[in-house]
Amino acid sequence: MNSIIFRTVSRLLMGLMLLFSLFLLWRGHNEPGGGFIGGLVAAAGLVVYGLADGPKSMRLILRADPGAIALTGLLIAVIAGLMPVVGGSDFLTGLWLFIGATPTDKGLALGTPLLFDIGVYLAVVGGVVGMVIAIEESL
Amino acid sequence: MNGLLVACLLTPMMTAILAFLWPGGRVIKGAVSVCGTVLLSVFAALLLRQVWTDGPVSAQMGGWEAPMGITLVADHLSAMLVMVTAIVGLAVSFFALTDIDEARAKGGFDTFFQILLTGIVGAFLTGDLFNLYVWFEVMLISSFALIVLGGDKVQLDGAVKYVAINLVSTVLLLTAIGLVYGMAGTLNMADLNGSLAELPDQSLVTVVSVLFLIAFGIKAAVFPLYFWLPASYHTLPISIAAVFAALMTKVGVYALIRTFTLIFTPESDMIATVVLVVALLTMLTGILGAISHTNIRRILSYHVIGSIGFMLLGLGLGSPLAMAASIFYMMQGILVKALLFMIVGVIEKRGNSSELSELGGLYRSHPGFSILYLLAALALIGIPPLSGFWAKLMVLEAGIEHQAWWVIALVLLASLLTFIPLMRIWFEAFWKAAPRSDDAPVKEPELSNAASGSAARSESMQLAPVVALSAVLLLIGLAPASLISLTDQAAAGVLNVDAYLQVVLGSGAAPIEEMKP
Amino acid sequence: MEVLFGILAGVLMAGGVWLILSRNLLKFLFGLVLISNVANLVIFASGGVTEGSPPLVGKSGIVEGVANSLPQALVLTAIVIGFGLVSFTLTLALRAWQSIGTTHVEEMCLSEQRAGATDENGGVLSVDDYAQLERARTVNSEQSMEPGR
């Protein structure tokens, strides 16, 4: 799509959507959101950019093969699932780290579910963007 | 907690990731794939040994007790199927080293192949109906990718049919699962046991069971629903065709056996009769289809359909002996199908065709390899003392036990007819003189020494898995006792689900744990 | 509310089946999309469509009167899988159209032997022969193909 307005706006939109996707990923623990939704929003942002500038520039800003991104995400998710197994718990059990916890407050809770969500995020971004690039390149 | 179950599932998944991310060409990725399947075989063997000695095992994902969480469970049947999947996966991944070209490897053959194995193993091991659907989809999506990989026109055309009919089956399965959840409020297969039979309104249960029958029937390629299989299998590269023919349809058979013994109680005579009739018709149409074709790949595709019929007889008859016969047939059928498809791959390489009229003289040029084909074919037909004989003997015994004479008559007829296409391949491709081809110049003198050396190496690398699978089948044929005792236990476990329920749900109703922070 | 869902599912199913019976691959796909949405609706309705607070655990532990969250999780999974399948199949249909030159399923028979297809000597055609014949036929029919078929 060769429109200067769309191309200018698409960059702005992509940045905003990527930021928003990270926000969704982060808040996905106890509130609506999560890796999947975040990944979709990020992919949508990248696709808008790709629509404006073509699949080639989409590949350029991704820097890595979309398939590799997706499978790295899967790897991260599997590692997140395997971490509790090392400690003797069941596969996929949540492990938690409470940073700055006081008796009344749990502090900043970081856990393997967040890692799992990051994996899902990458898998969704890689998968969706990969499919869109494949379709655009075959047109 | 049982780590082996998770290990069996994660090994092919991690191998898929590694095979994609590891930089390198065909050989490196193939080597990763082979290593992964070796590891899977080791885990599967350990799992089988544990199940054999201690009975079924289960693992709860994330520590959420069944029926709240997702359960992985392996009884004898699942463990045996995982084992045989690992063996076929190992053989095919080795065979693919020389069969799959650089372009297909770059397209991700090894990754998709391993994801396919993940889906198959997951479907065999899961104890949750929705999870079964998810593994079916994992299997399906990777098979879609494999089926179009590097495809030409004909392959694409076959792929469209395969994809279309499988999507229909998927949607039916999902609808049926939704209805089951609405009726029973749970999707854990052990938890579902008996709960559907207690419902006051049985009409919807029957509808849902028919939905499952159709959905899994499409995947298993049973009688009226098999048309996609011969349309797509013959267009594929031989490694992909081998793993599809050996394993994909059997997952459908496994799902049928599981759902119709565990979820839907076998009391519903109507379903059992339907399954029996469908099984016999599948058997006959498969064999007749095989007789009517002249392309080796099509003949074998129809053989795949025919053998599905034998595997469903056990479910139709419903006795332990019949079920054991079906399970034995399934094990033997998976191995022999993978073996035959690989042999066809070698035939195609040597004869440059899979059309019987264009082949010939292979016995004169490759006598050792011809004996391998003959052994595999005779094993499929069921000549004693080869492995197929025991499978068919058990089927017949089950028929006699039920005094179902027409079943026996049809099984004997189908077995006799199996002889025709396989022996025709033997006479046409191996025995008769090579057809004189004017348009195909003899290429061999043109090869340089190095090239002919690498060709010989690739040939011997293709023969290695063929020989290994033949040896396994020969072993089963000559010493069937341990496999028969294992299938007896598997059949008993499938029909009497107490041990399965015990290992999934635990003794008594376990209190729901306090929710974690 | 469930009755409404049921009626909606029925209407969608009818439309989907009608589209699936079409000989155009693309219409077939659209029918499949409709029917997969029926499956999602069925799962959603089977959990019971009730009013309830979001099924999120508060500080006090288990909360009362929450909606059943499992069907939503199931539907979400099913939507994701359906999305992947449909986008794959659309790509496949696109490639099939590009290389075979038609989306009419009757004409997509390169991989199947049509009954009674024989060459002039009465022998059964091989796949390659058949593909060659088909190619010739497709080229002919392309010239007379109307748009939008």
Side-chain angles (χ1 to χ4, degrees):
Chain A
M1 230 172 285
N2 210 0
S3 141
I4 186 133
I5 302 173
F6 185 43
R7 279 169 70 171
T8 317
V9 173
S10 75
R11 280 157 209 210
L12 194 68
L13 258 183
M14 178 182 70
L16 278 176
M17 283 168 99
L18 285 180
L19 270 180
F20 183 58
S21 75
L22 289 178
F23 166 71
L24 280 177
L25 168 69
W26 176 248
R27 83 179 219 139
H29 269 305
N30 301 317
E31 280 164 292
F36 179 73
I37 311 288
L40 272 186
V41 171
L46 289 168
V47 167
V48 167
Y49 181 75
L51 278 180
D53 275 21
K56 209 176 262 173
S57 55
M58 207 155 145
R59 270 194 197 281
L60 265 180
I61 54 162
L62 270 182
R63 282 158 203 271
D65 180 37
I69 295 178
L71 284 171
T72 312
L74 190 60
L75 186 68
I76 292 174
V78 170
I79 289 173
L82 278 177
M83 271 161 71
V85 175
V86 179
S89 318
D90 286 325
F91 182 60
L92 286 176
T93 312
L95 288 182
W96 292 92
L97 187 69
F98 299 105
I99 295 171
T102 57
T104 51
D105 187 46
K106 285 201 193 106
L108 180 65
L110 291 178
T112 51
L114 179 64
L115 199 58
F116 189 86
D117 258 359
I118 292 172
V120 172
Y121 179 93
L122 289 178
V124 170
V125 170
V128 173
V129 170
M131 271 192 286
V132 171
I133 287 183
I135 295 177
E136 279 202 29
E137 280 175 351
S138 72
L139 279 175
Chain B
M1 172 63 193
N2 190 299
L4 275 178
L5 287 164
V6 179
C8 282
L9 205 52
L10 285 187
T11 310
M13 199 189 276
M14 296 298 265
T15 314
I17 298 170
L18 274 183
F20 193 90
L21 296 182
W22 204 295
R26 173 80 203 98
V27 181
I28 308 272
K29 289 186 191 299
V32 170
S33 183
V34 170
C35 291
T37 43
V38 168
L39 202 60
L40 176 64
S41 308
V42 171
F43 285 135
L46 289 175
L47 179 69
L48 182 60
R49 202 189 64 174
Q50 189 178 2
V51 171
W52 200 347
T53 51
D54 304 340
V57 290
S58 72
Q60 316 285 357
M61 294 299 94
W64 297 99
E65 296 297 324
M68 297 297 150
I70 292 170
T71 312
L72 292 185
V73 52
D75 62 349
H76 288 81
L77 177 59
S78 310
M80 285 165 78
L81 282 167
V82 171
M83 184 70 237
V84 88
T85 304
I87 292 175
V88 170
L90 179 56
V92 171
S93 63
F94 202 83
F95 189 85
L97 282 178
T98 45
D99 179 55
I100 294 296
D101 49 30
E102 190 76 37
R104 283 198 169 92
K106 205 154 178 272
F109 167 79
D110 294 293
T111 304
F112 290 123
F113 175 69
Q114 293 291 337
I115 295 178
L116 181 73
L117 286 185
T118 315
I120 293 171
V121 171
F124 287 149
L125 288 182
T126 185
D128 184 280
L129 209 48
F130 195 81
N131 202 229
L132 181 69
Y133 163 77
V134 172
W135 290 123
F136 260 113
E137 296 315 301
V138 169
M139 203 170 85
L140 210 59
I141 290 175
S142 51
S143 74
F144 286 177
L146 284 175
I147 213 169
V148 296
L149 204 60
D152 56 355
K153 250 184 196 184
V154 180
Q155 195 178 334
L156 269 181
D157 187 45
V160 168
K161 270 138 218 176
Y162 175 86
V163 168
I165 191 84
N166 272 295
L167 283 180
V168 172
S169 135
T170 291
V171 169
L172 289 179
L173 179 58
L174 191 59
T175 315
I177 288 174
L179 291 172
V180 165
Y181 182 71
M183 286 189 291
T186 177
L187 286 173
N188 185 296
M189 289 203 266
D191 201 31
L192 277 169
N193 178 264
S195 60
L196 285 183
E198 288 163 8
L199 292 175
D201 184 14
Q202 285 294 307
S203 53
L204 193 55
V205 176
T206 313
V207 171
V208 170
S209 67
V210 172
L211 273 179
F212 273 111
L213 191 63
I214 296 173
F216 291 140
I218 291 176
K219 310 256 184 212
V222 300
F223 163 59
L225 311 165
Y226 63 80
F227 295 97
W228 56 271
L229 193 149
S232 56
Y233 276 20
H234 68 94
T235 62
L236 300 172
I238 207 74
S239 318
I240 300 174
V243 73
F244 277 22
L247 293 171
M248 294 280 283
T249 46
K250 277 60 172 188
V251 185
V253 175
Y254 167 81
L256 276 176
I257 291 180
R258 200 47 102 202
T259 43
F260 281 93
T261 53
L262 200 57
I263 301 174
F264 302 103
T265 36
E267 277 97 274
S268 52
D269 281 336
M270 188 201 81
I271 295 288
T273 317
V274 169
V275 170
L276 188 60
V277 171
V278 161
L280 291 170
L281 286 173
T282 309
M283 212 162 71
L284 283 178
T285 44
I287 302 304
L288 291 177
I291 291 176
S292 73
H293 279 281
T294 57
N295 182 307
I296 305 186
R297 286 189 178 213
R298 284 170 189 271
I299 292 175
L300 286 183
S301 298
Y302 274 101
H303 264 300
V304 172
I305 298 168
S307 64
I308 296 295
F310 282 98
M311 291 166 204
L312 283 178
L313 276 180
L315 195 59
L317 291 172
S319 71
L321 186 59
M323 191 59 90
S326 287
I327 294 171
F328 191 100
Y329 206 99
M330 216 150 128
M331 302 298 139
Q332 189 258 351
I334 289 174
L335 292 174
V336 86
K337 287 287 143 37
L339 175 58
L340 276 174
F341 265 89
M342 285 193 238
I343 286 177
V344 170
V346 181
I347 293 180
E348 279 179 0
K349 277 256 159 68
R350 299 194 169 162
N352 274 328
S353 170
S354 60
E355 203 59 45
L356 283 179
S357 56
E358 293 163 19
L359 288 166
L362 281 173
Y363 181 74
R364 186 176 289 258
S365 54
H366 307 280
F369 167 69
S370 310
I371 298 296
L372 283 180
Y373 168 76
L374 199 60
L375 270 179
L378 292 180
L380 182 61
I381 296 165
I383 304 289
L386 296 169
S387 51
F389 170 69
W390 305 107
K392 290 207 165 128
L393 187 69
M394 284 167 82
V395 172
L396 288 179
E397 266 183 62
I400 293 170
E401 183 196 58
H402 280 263
Q403 311 220 316
W405 305 116
W406 53 288
V407 173
I408 295 177
L410 287 176
V411 166
L412 281 176
L413 178 68
S415 304
L416 268 178
L417 291 178
T418 311
F419 209 76
I420 299 175
L422 288 171
M423 283 303 107
R424 201 170 66 196
I425 296 178
W426 170 252
F427 285 122
E428 296 263 339
F430 290 91
W431 206 246
K432 84 172 183 215
R436 275 188 42 214
S437 48
D438 307 322
D439 50 346
V442 187
K443 279 185 195 148
E444 282 181 56
E446 290 169 25
L447 287 175
S448 67
N449 265 345
S452 72
S454 90
R457 200 166 56 242
S458 97
E459 216 156 62
S460 60
M461 274 180 80
Q462 291 202 332
L463 274 183
V466 173
V467 172
L469 273 190
S470 303
V472 172
L473 273 169
L474 209 57
L475 197 68
I476 293 176
L478 295 178
S482 53
L483 185 60
I484 288 179
S485 88
L486 200 54
T487 52
D488 280 343
Q489 284 182 48
V494 164
L495 291 173
N496 183 3
V497 291
D498 289 341
Y500 186 96
L501 300 187
Q502 178 77 26
V503 76
V504 175
L505 298 174
S507 47
I512 300 168
E513 274 185 65
E514 195 80 11
M515 287 215 180
K516 287 160 197 170
Chain C
M1 200 61 183
E2 278 92 347
V3 177
L4 215 59
F5 268 68
I7 293 171
L8 182 58
V11 170
L12 281 178
M13 188 75 178
V17 168
W18 185 78
L19 281 170
I20 267 191
L21 294 178
S22 155
R23 285 182 183 154
N24 190 322
L25 188 63
L26 217 53
K27 280 191 184 166
F28 173 89
L29 263 179
F30 292 152
L32 220 52
V33 173
L34 277 190
I35 294 186
S36 70
N37 282 326
V38 170
N40 294 340
L41 273 182
V42 166
I43 297 178
F44 199 59
S46 69
V49 187
T50 51
E51 279 183 32
S53 44
L56 296 170
V57 179
K59 288 234 161 69
S60 57
I62 298 171
V63 266
E64 295 294 317
V66 294
N68 185 353
S69 61
L70 187 63
Q72 300 179 17
L74 299 185
V75 168
L76 184 61
T77 316
I79 288 175
V80 174
I81 292 174
F83 164 74
L85 287 180
V86 166
S87 49
F88 174 86
T89 320
L90 272 175
T91 320
L92 178 64
L94 178 71
R95 276 195 58 195
W97 177 71
Q98 280 170 344
S99 73
I100 303 175
T102 174
T103 54
H104 198 266
V105 285
E106 291 264 299
E107 289 166 11
M108 300 175 76
C109 48
L110 303 181
S111 69
E112 284 164 294
Q113 278 171 319
R114 211 176 261 172
T118 51
D119 59 14
E120 59 267 36
N121 302 326
V124 179
L125 285 176
S126 75
V127 186
D128 297 333
D129 298 339
Y130 201 73
Q132 211 165 356
L133 268 187
E134 276 299 316
R135 254 191 303 266
R137 225 166 54 83
T138 329
V139 172
N140 289 339
S141 70
E142 250 169 24
Q143 291 156 356
S144 62
M145 195 158 53
E146 317 129 57
R149 186 157 110 190

